[in-house]
Amino acid sequence: MIEIPNALEIILRHAGPLPTETVPLNLALSRVLAESVASDIDSPPYTKALMDGYAVRSADCTAPATLTIIEEVAAGQVATRTVEAGQATRIMTGAPIPAGADAVVPHEQTESTGNTVRVGRPVRAGESILPRAREMRLGEVVVPEGTRVTPQAIGLLATVGRSSVCVHRRPRVAILATGDEVVEAGNPLTLGQIRNSNGPMLVAMADHAGAVTEYLGIARDNRESLKTLVARGLDNADVLVLAGGVSAGKFDLVPEVLAAAGMTAHFHKVRMKPGKPLLFGTRGNQLVFGLPGNPVSSFVGFELFVRPALRKMMGHSQPGPTFVPLPLAAALATQNNRPTYVPAQIEKVDALRVRVRTSFGSADLRGLLGADALVSLPAGTVEYAAGDAIPTLML
Ligand code: AMP
Ligand code: MG
């Protein structure tokens, strides 16, 4: 049995960034850049007006001044005349500043009559204008390698002329449920049977984590059935995730079948609750996770171990899981024989607080519904007061 940090270290050592591919920008959301992207332009490409108003010479406006309007420039147009002493040009937001002018006075701070405009206050050079290349210079790296492609990143990448980018490939994840008693939703249940919640849940978790997910169905608790589906999973996947059949029971055949399929086991038990029987192995570059069958256990196992592996494969430099200290909403007394994770809810009143949810154990998915965090409790007896900080993993 190994400790959680140890387990994570072993997993991350075996999970490397996947090869790269070039994808259209509109398909790059949530991927991680495998190249550094430089700007192909100065931005702004010319010194531009930040307000609708009048382009003026600040030297003319050290005191209230009346200026002659010589021209009007709309966005997309370019001034044809130089602003000379005593003159101003009507200008729109985004338009290039005419030669001679060094500031823009917002329209609402002026009074115009006919072809003159009155500026009633002193104007500083540079007011309401953005100099050429102030945001970025041609050739400057603006989106470094390793950046997660967010909507903002997509906007910036388009600004610098990119319609495609080089990113890490998405991991292919195969999901396999196991158990003679497990039945897919849509079928009648007889006594002793339970519905397959892990299969659909783990598929959703892998999808959500950005993987290309393949669902293999339910393997029965016999070598033949497991062997067939494990082989199908290992045929093409980067990561095979099984749920159930990994503990020490008579019908827990997963470790044996995986070993026969060529997997090297790295650990088989982690000192944690829920989900102590957790198997991790590799076959070449392929990762294999055997998660415990109880749905909350497999959920926690995925969050703590599978998701960080997927993040690392997708090129994230900080694969997590990232626990942040948050104040407890209520006092909490706990007694655990192993480090324990419990579902919790983040409350946003004035500040963020975290409230532990009532749970009826590791099969209680209802207790998990509405949880947007897991909190980490140490082994032993601990009493927390309301407001005490507790390590919290946001889901
Ligand atoms: P196991 O790890 O196979 O011993 O399973 C532990 C518990 O989780 C048993 O009560 C199983 O019935 C239950 N279980 C296993 N697989 C699933 C599944 N796919 N969906 C829901 N419950 C499951
Ligand atoms: Mg089972």
Side-chain angles (χ1 to χ4, degrees), residues 10 29 37 50 83 102 128 136 210 213-214 270:
I10 293 170
L29 187 64
V37 175
L50 289 177
V83 178
D102 65 356
S128 296
M136 62 186 104
T213 310
E214 180 190 8
V270 182

Side-chain angles (χ1 to χ4, degrees), residues 219-288:
R220 297 307 167 193
D221 290 322
N222 63 73
R223 288 181 184 79
E224 212 38 52
S225 172
L226 266 170
K227 192 178 145 193
T228 308
L229 291 176
V230 161
R232 197 170 298 162
L234 288 176
D235 183 38
N236 184 42
D238 301 301
V239 180
L240 172 62
V241 179
L242 303 99
V246 281
S247 9
K250 185 172 168 207
F251 299 103
D252 293 329
L253 302 170
V254 164
E256 165 192 334
V257 170
L258 288 172
M263 181 204 73
T264 306
H266 297 290
F267 60 80
H268 189 175
K269 275 196 176 72
V270 182
R271 198 168 76 92
M272 62 184 278
K273 202 168 94 182
K276 179 172 64 168
L278 193 144
L279 171 79
F280 173 69
T282 51
R283 191 183 77 159
N285 289 330
Q286 295 174 298
L287 310 187
V288 181

Side-chain angles (χ1 to χ4, degrees), residues 176-184 192-202 215 217-218 221 243-249 251-252 254 277 291-298 362-363 365:
L176 178 56
T178 72
D180 281 345
E181 78 285 26
V182 181
V183 177
E184 300 286 16
Q193 294 185 321
I194 57 160
R195 292 238 165 79
N196 176 19
S197 51
N198 285 331
M201 180 180 71
L202 291 169
Y215 177 54
I218 304 168
D221 290 322
V246 281
S247 9
F251 299 103
D252 293 329
V254 164
L291 303 178
N294 270 312
V296 177
S297 306
S298 59
S362 51
L365 280 179

Side-chain angles (χ1 to χ4, degrees), residues 329-342:
L332 179 68
T334 70
Q335 193 177 14
N336 303 297
N337 54 355
R338 301 190 290 275
T340 297
Y341 296 89
V342 293

